[in-house]
C-alpha cells in the first residue's frame, strides 16, 4: 500500500548533509516527495511510496549518521506527490 508521510526533524540536521542523506535514501527506496530546511533549524520532508519503504526511511532518519543526530522526529499522513526534490 502506498502512503504519504509529512515529517519534521530537529536536532543536528542542518549543515551536515541531512537533505542529501534523505534524498539518497529516498531515491534508493523509490520514494517521492521533497525535503527542505526551515528557518527554525529543523528540516521538513514529504515522503511518498510503499508503506514499508517509507517506514524504513523514517527508521534510517531516526538513526542518523556520525554527523546527523535527529531529535523528536514527527510525522503525519498527507496527499501524495510523484517525484522527490530539495526545496528552499
Amino acid at each position: 500500500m502506498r502512503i504519504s508521510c509529512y515529517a519534521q526533524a530537529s536536532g543536528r540536521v542542518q549543515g551536515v548533509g541531512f537533505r542529501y542523506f534523505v534524498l539518497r535514501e529516498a531515491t534508493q527506496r523509490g520514494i517521492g516527495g521533497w525535503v527542505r530546511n526551515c528557518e527554525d533549524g529543523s528540516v521538513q520532508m514529504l515522503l511518498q511510496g510503499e508503506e514499508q519503504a517509507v517506514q524504513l526511511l523514517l527508521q534510517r532518519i531516526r538513526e542518523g549518521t556520525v554527523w546527523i543526530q535527529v531529535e523528536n522526529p514527527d510525522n503525519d499522513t498527507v496527499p501524495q506527490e510523484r517525484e522527490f526534490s530539495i526545496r528552499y
Side-chain angles (χ1 to χ4, degrees), residues 67-87:
W67 301 279
I68 298 167
Q69 294 182 353
V70 176
E71 301 169 0
N72 304 322
D74 185 28
N75 61 68
D76 198 5
T77 58
V78 293
Q80 289 194 5
E81 291 189 27
R82 294 187 181 263
E83 296 179 6
F84 199 90
S85 62
I86 293 174
R87 291 194 176 178

Side-chain angles (χ1 to χ4, degrees), residues 10-62:
S10 59
R12 191 167 55 188
V13 293
Q14 287 193 16
V16 292
F18 181 77
R19 290 176 298 159
Y20 296 97
F21 166 76
V22 175
L23 174 64
R24 184 182 68 244
E25 295 288 328
T27 301
Q28 289 175 356
R29 290 171 173 76
I31 295 172
W34 50 262
V35 59
R36 69 176 166 206
N37 285 344
C38 300
E39 289 185 20
D40 67 1
S42 67
V43 176
Q44 294 176 333
M45 299 159 274
L46 177 66
L47 311 172
Q48 299 178 324
E50 293 299 320
E51 183 174 12
Q52 183 178 5
V54 171
Q55 294 303 325
L56 286 172
L57 177 54
L58 289 170
Q59 180 59 38
R60 286 286 294 132
I61 289 168
R62 284 185 205 96

